[in-house]
Amino acid sequence: MNIIENLSLLADAINKSESILLVGHINPDGDSIGSLTGMKGYLSTLGKSVCAAVPNNYPQFLEFLDPEKEILMYSETPDKVREKADSSHLIICMDFNSLKRIDNLGEVIGNSKARKILVDHHPGHDNIFDIVYSYPQLSSTCELAYWIIKGLMQIYGNALPHNSAVALYTGMMTDTNNFTNSVLPSTFMMAGELMEAGVDKEWVQKMVFGGYSESRMRLMGHMLSTNMKILPQFNAAIMILTKEMKEKFNFEDGDSEGFVNLALNIRSVRISALFTESDDFIRVSLRSKDDFSVNRLSRAHFNGGGHERAAGGRLFIPVEEVEEYFSKSLEEFMEKEK
Ligand code: 5GP
Ligand code: MN
């Protein structure tokens, strides 16, 4: 199957580049880390010096994709990342579409003289890229990276390393919420081909969904039984994770992964929101089913964006005001969309 057009442009850029920097978004998720490590593994087989960098740390359950801890973090080693951005011939931005999504690292990437390529599945993109592979119709950036790599394998006649296959499968699996959202025939084809190539899907399942701590399970129970509120007038559900609760449940990065999806299992709920308080702002996570666009909702009211049914953003208000702000936003948004 040949889904990706104009791959000779990418091959040409790769041929001209000795050193390549791959960049992922802030608060990296499975799709981000999977696509970075998957692509890094493949490009390394072409004899290139390949590095991956993200703005900040990723959740602990993804460590199996980066066992040697090779992914650079701008929050930890800014000078090293800056040096890589300046010395690389090619920068490939993966799983994000705007430099705003990589925080302070955006300035570093924007200022680098390297050629810049976008590999992403979000709608729209900044106008700073020399070559763009933007496929919002694909499930995940990992799926896009897989079809790109398949095309490159035809050009170069080489193979996909096992670790890359595992990484791409993992990111696709997490970004579709375990084969629930945005899954297309091409997604199952990719999954089937990767299984045939030796990916042990049960092992990946265990690494991703079987590695949580006791405190995460208890926090999840608390969020569902006590914290979640249903707003029937909007067919919406809201959860608010405060700093106080994080402390009480020994919260670690990634512990709330997937919580926002849970409320969508309720028949009447079409929109689910999780607000997470941090030191500087409130992180917003939105999901929907049917055809409600949380991408547009987030752009209009939550300083963010994303996909039609999975989006995120940020709020800069006291946590006590979040519920009322959410209700008002929904009211205004639904009135406008009528
Ligand atoms: P999550 O709820 O998993 O953090 O994010 C879901 C999706 O929303 C992500 O895949 C990403 O596309 C998008 N997203 C999350 N946070 C932001 C944000 O601050 N700005 C924009 N533009 N998109 C975001
Ligand atoms: Mn993604």
Side-chain angles (χ1 to χ4, degrees):
M1 197 162 68
N2 235 339
I3 303 182
I4 314 300
E5 290 171 9
N6 298 325
L7 268 186
S8 56
L9 291 176
L10 176 60
D12 186 53
I14 292 170
N15 291 341
K16 289 180 179 145
S17 307
E18 277 308 306
S19 72
I20 301 173
L21 177 66
L22 308 175
V23 182
H25 61 73
I26 187 153
N27 301 323
D29 58 5
D31 198 28
S32 174
I33 298 302
S35 57
L36 292 175
T37 53
M39 188 60 91
K40 181 172 183 290
Y42 175 74
L43 293 176
S44 302
T45 66
L46 297 172
K48 308 292 174 184
S49 150
V50 190
C51 218
V54 289
N56 62 343
N57 203 356
Y58 51 81
Q60 181 229 328
F61 78 93
L62 292 171
E63 277 173 10
F64 76 101
L65 298 179
D66 181 30
E68 308 293 329
K69 298 225 181 309
E70 289 172 327
I71 297 180
L72 301 176
M73 275 155 227
Y74 190 62
S75 56
E76 304 288 317
T77 53
D79 292 342
K80 208 164 170 185
V81 175
R82 212 173 291 124
E83 190 272 316
K84 285 283 174 199
D86 290 339
S87 64
S88 293
H89 306 118
L90 183 63
I91 293 179
I92 306 182
C93 293
M94 302 187 74
D95 199 34
F96 66 93
N97 54 5
S98 161
L99 292 185
K100 282 194 212 134
R101 291 277 292 136
I102 54 173
D103 254 26
N104 304 337
L105 178 54
E107 209 182 316
V108 178
I109 299 303
N111 287 337
S112 164
K113 302 257 184 307
R115 288 185 88 187
K116 297 181 190 79
I117 296 185
L118 179 70
V119 171
D120 182 41
H121 74 135
H122 295 92
H125 56 83
D126 280 358
N127 217 347
I128 58 144
F129 300 100
D130 299 295
I131 309 173
V132 170
Y133 295 94
S134 169
Y135 285 74
Q137 66 271 37
L138 296 182
S139 67
S140 51
T141 299
C142 279
E143 185 186 334
L144 171 55
Y146 177 71
W147 296 120
I148 287 179
I149 290 173
K150 266 202 93 174
L152 292 176
M153 278 158 60
Q154 280 177 0
I155 296 173
Y156 294 110
N158 61 350
L160 181 64
H162 179 72
N163 289 350
S164 291
V166 170
L168 296 177
Y169 184 93
T170 304
M172 175 273 289
M173 189 187 85
T174 58
D175 230 38
T176 58
N177 184 23
N178 207 9
F179 296 91
T180 308
N181 310 325
S182 317
V183 179
L184 295 147
S186 64
T187 320
F188 284 116
M189 284 175 69
M190 167 196 182
E193 290 181 16
L194 286 176
M195 275 176 73
E196 273 181 350
V199 173
D200 180 346
K201 77 174 190 356
E202 267 141 55
W203 183 79
V204 172
Q205 194 91 14
K206 199 174 76 189
M207 296 310 283
V208 172
F209 298 114
Y212 288 117
S213 62
E214 179 185 337
S215 52
R216 166 187 152 94
M217 292 303 278
R218 297 204 183 279
L219 174 62
M220 189 179 347
H222 175 79
M223 296 301 284
L224 286 175
S225 73
T226 311
N227 188 276
M228 180 176 70
K229 279 196 190 160
I230 306 293
L231 310 176
Q233 67 276 37
F234 305 116
N235 295 106
I238 175 173
M239 295 184 204
I240 302 173
L241 179 53
T242 60
K243 285 208 285 190
E244 196 185 326
M245 280 163 57
K246 280 180 169 173
E247 208 160 295
K248 188 169 161 201
F249 286 90
N250 300 319
F251 184 88
E252 283 180 30
D253 281 343
D255 273 359
S256 59
E257 191 77 27
F259 285 8
V260 68
N261 296 311
L262 297 171
L264 287 184
N265 294 337
I266 302 168
R267 193 179 303 139
S268 64
V269 171
R270 289 177 69 210
I271 307 158
S272 171
L274 170 68
F275 296 91
T276 309
E277 185 187 16
S278 68
D279 284 338
D280 307 318
F281 56 86
I282 291 172
R283 202 172 143 204
V284 183
S285 225
L286 300 163
R287 298 291 185 274
S288 65
K289 64 189 186 201
D290 306 332
D291 52 6
F292 186 92
S293 171
V294 283
N295 174 30
R296 285 208 298 279
L297 176 68
S298 187
R299 282 164 183 261
H301 295 281
F302 298 101
N303 307 301
H307 307 281
E308 291 301 285
R309 294 183 192 173
R314 288 173 184 202
L315 279 183
F316 301 88
I317 59 176
V319 73
E320 299 77 28
E321 292 172 17
V322 163
E323 190 183 331
E324 200 187 332
Y325 183 86
F326 181 56
S327 288
K328 279 205 172 132
S329 304
L330 283 177
E331 198 175 334
E332 217 173 279
F333 183 77
M334 287 179 177
E335 190 56 40
K336 271 214 182 113
E337 295 262 312
K338 256 187 196 162

